[in-house]
Amino acid sequence: MVLYTSPFPNSFLSVLHSFSWGLIFPCYWLADRLVASFVPTTYEKRQRADDPCYFHALCIIITTPIYLALLVASLPFALIGFLLWSPLQSARRPYIYSRLEDKNHANGATLLTEWKAAGSGKSFCFGSANVCLLPDSLARFNNVFNTQARAKEIGRRIRNGASRPQIKIYIDSPTNTSISAASFSSLVSPQGGDSTNHTFNPGMKRTTSMEYKGDNSGSNNGEDTREDKGRTREPNEGEENSCIVRINGEDNGHMSDTETDAVNGQAHASSPAEPLLEGDTEVSKTPNHKQKEGDSGSLDSCSASRESLVKVRVGDGTVDQSTVNKLLYKASIMKKTSVRKKKHTDETFDHEISAFFPANLDFLCLQEVFDKRAAEKLKEQLHHYFEYIVYDVGVYSCRSCCSFKFVNSGLLFASRYPVMDAAYHCYPNGRGTDSLASKGALFLKVQVGSTPQDQRIVGYISCTHLQAIAGDTTVRCEQLDMLQDWLSEFRKSTSSSSTANPEELVAFDVICGDLNFDNCSSEDKLEQQHSLFTHYKDPCRIGPGEDKPWAIGTLLDPEGLYDEQVCTPDNLQKVLESEEGRKGYLVYPTSKNHSSSQKGRKASLKGNGRRIDYMLYTEEGLYLEWKVEVEEFSFITQLAGLTDHLPVAMRLMVSTGEDDP
């Protein structure tokens, strides 16, 4: 299958389309600004609180006639442009495929060789987020604004989080499978001039078994050092950019004065600044450098976060203080953060609320990237980390779908691995305002490696966004039916294997997206019992109508987005770790017994909020001898203040069943 690198099959149509859109854009922009001036966000209201009450009204009175006059003047040009633009959409391709041209930063081909080295398997990390990049006037109805600036910052934060070193903590305790806040804080260098001795939890002491050797640009230069197999399980070679810190039970859990001084000295030693990413500003590691509140979500933060701590194993080791100090220097100043304990010991994988996107994020699915200019800005930022991006997905005008489509599907896919095939389908049954967008499903086939026999190892990823209007359960169920049928057709049409001669081995099949229903609301019972959940597994779900106790909602209350308690990644993380905090800032399942107001609600509610953003995986249709398991699931707060959804991430381990040599 040919991947489309341009929206039109020839340059003449592209030029004609650009000309027609150039005639439409002034009218579109003026209408957007006019409506936006009448829909202030809570942030803007607070900013204007100290202004005289008449000041904003005066601005409206002055600017509105100007906008209206210019809008009327631009209408004839917009009409001509529309008459050219609309017929052109019949020749428009359903997506644009972009590949990073800079060969110095392209590493997709290198990643394919890692499977052979891994031998027994490899882990893959998937992320999904609804980023609400609508035209500014429409985004304000969700209490977010400045779409163009938000798009750039969202891209910066995602790549900053994904390109961090991956820190792994190994605990020398067969019973304790969690890191407490105190024990993690003792691993980090203090901020500012705090030279107080920090202690571990009793019975813990830190050592390192390897040193981080990667860089922060997203290239995969990390190497794993193997230990004696008889003593402990080997780390996976496929987990790149990794640092390992092992904790054992010596010295009663306290750091010696020498250790503490070394750590403090390392934190405050003056050294040349190191660039975080290609093209980014540098961060000076001088004694005067202090992290500000909320720095963990910004591009200039070198912090490592707790969701990097993804492995636990039994083992012992010796203290290598020079390597510890070098590790701390390489990872830079790690901001103090708590680590959510694994309260449910019967769970087979790690789960947490994280202030960062996972390190070494392999695949990213985004929804509501509707604005074209914002999509370009987002793509430019993501290309610093992801080599392959599929964006501007969808159809316009009256093509293929029943009703006229003013905006695309809003789907965007980014990958570190090569994309082999892609297909898009538009849901034909959209209703209400959703029918104005070409919501649908994007299906992708990626190559993630090859066997020693040169068989391709591939994976399937589906990204979708379902009907949003409450009460349209029948519409969503129909869309889920279509999603399954289209995915089955896509797999059949793109498969080059036969049972007798398998040229390709399927490693995973994952569905990501905003499904616009949760697993606890009584109004969503039809969706909860859909057959999709018999074929695909939801790591956060026990069964229809019941989530696992640690799962939380992903839909934030828009009215509280800019409250001081939740406006930074760290603050939002802390709030969501408490039940009272979740009640105040998450949207909960609707109930006839409770009012719709979120603030101050004390009543006991079912679940931990509306979880409408999903990551599903299946074991059906994979290579027979392989097994897929969830290693880690995260709810991410790094986009605090930029969107009204919580991103989610899942790390899958694909085991081949072969023993390490």
Side-chain angles (χ1 to χ4, degrees), residues 254-265:
H254 289 276
M255 294 174 63
S256 66
D257 293 340
T258 305
E259 284 179 309
T260 305
D261 292 341
V263 173
N264 292 343

Side-chain angles (χ1 to χ4, degrees), residues 31-52:
D32 184 52
R33 297 317 309 157
L34 180 62
V35 176
S37 63
F38 290 95
V39 189
T41 62
T42 55
Y43 176 82
E44 291 170 324
K45 291 177 181 177
R46 292 172 187 174
Q47 293 292 102
R48 300 168 184 163
D50 296 333
D51 295 336

Side-chain angles (χ1 to χ4, degrees), residues 521-582:
S521 294
S522 57
E523 290 82 357
D524 296 334
K525 283 185 178 180
L526 285 178
E527 297 97 317
Q528 296 163 10
Q529 299 171 359
H530 194 272
S531 61
L532 176 71
F533 295 102
T534 64
H535 301 290
Y536 286 80
K537 296 182 179 180
D538 181 356
C540 301
R541 167 181 162 126
I542 296 176
E546 185 179 6
D547 276 348
K548 294 181 179 179
W550 51 265
I552 66 170
T554 59
L555 186 59
L556 297 169
D557 178 14
E559 293 300 317
L561 289 181
Y562 305 108
D563 287 1
E564 185 178 355
Q565 295 89 333
V566 295
C567 64
T568 66
D570 286 340
N571 289 354
L572 181 57
Q573 178 192 37
K574 294 173 184 176
V575 166
L576 295 182
E577 286 176 338
S578 70
E579 184 176 357
E580 288 302 312
R582 291 193 292 270

Side-chain angles (χ1 to χ4, degrees), residues 358-519:
N360 300 323
L361 182 64
D362 295 307
F363 308 101
L364 178 68
C365 297
L366 300 180
Q367 302 87 48
E368 292 199 8
V369 188
F370 289 117
D371 189 276
K372 280 189 174 184
R373 292 185 299 150
E376 288 287 346
K377 291 179 173 63
L378 181 60
K379 181 197 65 143
E380 291 174 5
Q381 293 297 322
L382 293 178
H383 258 323
H384 286 275
Y385 180 77
F386 294 102
E387 185 174 349
Y388 310 92
I389 295 177
V390 178
Y391 70 107
D392 197 8
V393 179
V395 295
Y396 297 86
S397 189
C398 294
R399 182 186 174 189
S400 76
C401 291
C402 299
S403 60
F404 192 93
K405 305 299 180 183
F406 287 94
V407 293
N408 60 25
S409 68
L411 301 176
L412 183 147
F413 174 77
S415 171
R416 297 170 68 202
Y417 291 87
V419 177
M420 300 177 65
D421 296 294
Y424 160 80
H425 292 277
C426 175
Y427 294 127
N429 62 339
R431 293 182 184 175
T433 54
D434 271 22
S435 65
L436 302 178
S438 57
K439 283 189 174 182
L442 176 65
F443 304 98
L444 302 117
K445 178 182 178 181
V446 295
Q447 183 177 358
V448 295
S450 59
T451 67
Q453 294 77 30
D454 290 328
Q455 294 171 300
R456 288 190 299 268
I457 301 174
V458 301
Y460 288 92
I461 305 170
S462 306
C463 182
T464 190
H465 190 187
L466 301 187
Q467 176 83 8
I469 300 175
D472 286 343
T473 57
T474 304
V475 175
R476 283 188 287 271
C477 286
E478 292 173 354
Q479 291 176 348
L480 290 175
D481 291 337
M482 288 183 276
L483 175 67
Q484 292 187 95
D485 293 340
W486 291 336
L487 177 55
S488 177
E489 293 173 4
F490 178 71
R491 290 194 56 168
K492 289 179 182 178
S493 64
T494 58
S495 176
S496 60
S497 298
S498 64
T499 305
N501 183 27
E503 298 178 7
E504 296 177 345
L505 308 181
V506 180
F508 56 79
D509 184 349
V510 172
I511 296 176
C512 308
D514 180 355
L515 303 189
N516 275 312
F517 66 86
D518 64 75
N519 195 41

